[in-house]
Amino acid sequence: MRFLLAAACLSLVGCSHTPATPSAPASEEVISPAGAIVAAADRPESDRALDTGRHPAALLEFVGVRPGMKVAELMAGGGYTTELLARAVGPRGVVYGENPRFVLERFAEKPWSERLARPVNQNVVRVDRELDDPLPPEVTDLDAVVSNIIYHDTVWFGTDRAKMNAAVFRALKPGGVYVILDSSAMPGTGVRDAQTLHRIDEQTVRDEVLAAGFQFVQDSDVWRNPQDTRDWDSSPGAAGARRGTSDRFALKFIKPR
């Protein structure tokens, strides 16, 4: 969901001799805070190349991340989303970026380490833990936890997803949100396509998260693609030119107050 801030207002004055303040030109737009984060000149070009398919401003708005918040990302990988979150929470906030050993050893260690060395990510705390228990016990009262296109991976990783979701529940403060985006499989297929097509049935995710005690509050159509046949591998390495075009569900859950 995208929310653009309008930038036009007229000043009403009591004296007819005082000219009204002119409105901004119709073509002039004020960029939203999330849009300004995405437009930052110091973002890496490799990140910008992914923006069209990932809709980063919409993600920040959907999560509701604001300056000063404490948030976490599960399986941060090379840190594309983590850096966006770090920019959004600002220097008074903190972002916990979690990666399991398998991910670090296979592909993420170098880009992740380089990412964390950038000054803009000085408020990111590196967390090397497995997804079954993704956050240290001292990490509590989080405002949000984000799982961006990785929930399906927990299936073929052999993650205890009930344990993972329970850990997320404990780490969040009452009213905190758990946001999950992933590539959708055909309805009724459950986890069948998690490893082969890197997709998961949306209803399966809903059921598993609700079972952990969360309440569902919102979804978004921003990442939907009704033209997706959902019979091809959506992983970055296999998707090729179709990368970023898979039909993706976006779900927001809340820890009850």
Side-chain angles (χ1 to χ4, degrees):
M1 298 176 66
R2 300 181 182 275
F3 304 97
L4 298 178
L5 301 177
C9 68
L10 293 175
S11 296
L12 299 178
V13 293
C15 176
S16 61
H17 298 291
T18 304
T21 302
S23 62
S27 60
E28 183 179 326
E29 290 185 352
V30 173
I31 300 176
S32 69
I37 289 169
V38 174
D42 62 335
R43 289 187 66 224
E45 287 302 316
S46 55
D47 284 4
R48 294 181 187 279
L50 301 176
D51 288 350
T52 299
R54 292 205 175 189
H55 306 290
L59 175 62
L60 294 175
E61 291 165 354
F62 188 61
V63 176
V65 60
R66 298 186 302 278
M69 280 187 166
K70 296 197 308 179
V71 303
E73 183 184 11
L74 302 185
M75 207 170 99
Y80 170 94
T81 301
T82 301
E83 181 166 316
L84 291 165
L85 295 170
R87 291 172 181 270
V89 303
R92 294 184 295 106
V94 62
V95 180
Y96 298 92
E98 179 268 348
N99 270 311
R101 184 174 63 180
F102 175 85
V103 171
L104 292 169
E105 291 177 348
R106 282 296 187 94
F107 69 89
E109 180 60 55
K110 184 175 185 293
W112 182 230
S113 297
E114 292 174 350
R115 175 87 63 178
L116 296 180
R118 289 165 48 79
V120 73
N121 293 308
Q122 62 183 349
N123 58 347
V124 176
V125 178
R126 173 172 173 156
V127 178
D128 295 4
R129 293 174 70 93
E130 299 307 307
L131 284 160
D132 301 81
D133 191 18
L135 298 167
E138 66 271 17
V139 175
T140 59
D141 294 322
L142 296 179
D143 295 285
V145 174
V146 177
S147 168
N148 194 8
I149 323 179
I150 63 93
Y151 197 97
H152 70 273
D153 289 316
T154 64
V155 177
W156 60 278
F157 282 4
T159 301
D160 185 331
R161 297 190 301 283
K163 187 177 178 182
M164 177 187 73
N165 291 329
V168 172
F169 189 91
R170 287 193 302 272
L172 284 166
K173 70 180 185 181
V177 299
Y178 186 17
V179 171
I180 300 174
L181 283 76
D182 214 333
S183 294
S184 67
M186 295 293 288
T189 56
V191 300
R192 184 194 68 187
D193 299 331
Q195 185 168 4
T196 55
L197 302 183
H198 293 268
R199 299 169 178 268
I200 191 167
D201 182 6
E202 176 182 345
Q203 190 59 52
T204 296
V205 176
R206 287 176 179 256
D207 292 344
E208 291 183 355
V209 176
L210 292 175
F214 287 94
Q215 294 177 353
F216 173 73
V217 291
Q218 189 180 5
D219 59 9
S220 173
D221 292 335
V222 169
W223 296 267
R224 288 294 191 185
N225 178 13
Q227 305 306 314
D228 179 14
T229 54
R230 293 185 278 188
D231 58 359
W232 51 276
D233 188 342
S234 68
S235 64
R242 291 190 287 189
R243 182 177 182 178
T245 67
S246 62
D247 178 71
R248 280 161 287 167
F249 55 84
L251 308 173
K252 182 189 290 187
F253 302 88
I254 191 170
K255 178 177 179 176
R257 295 182 184 276

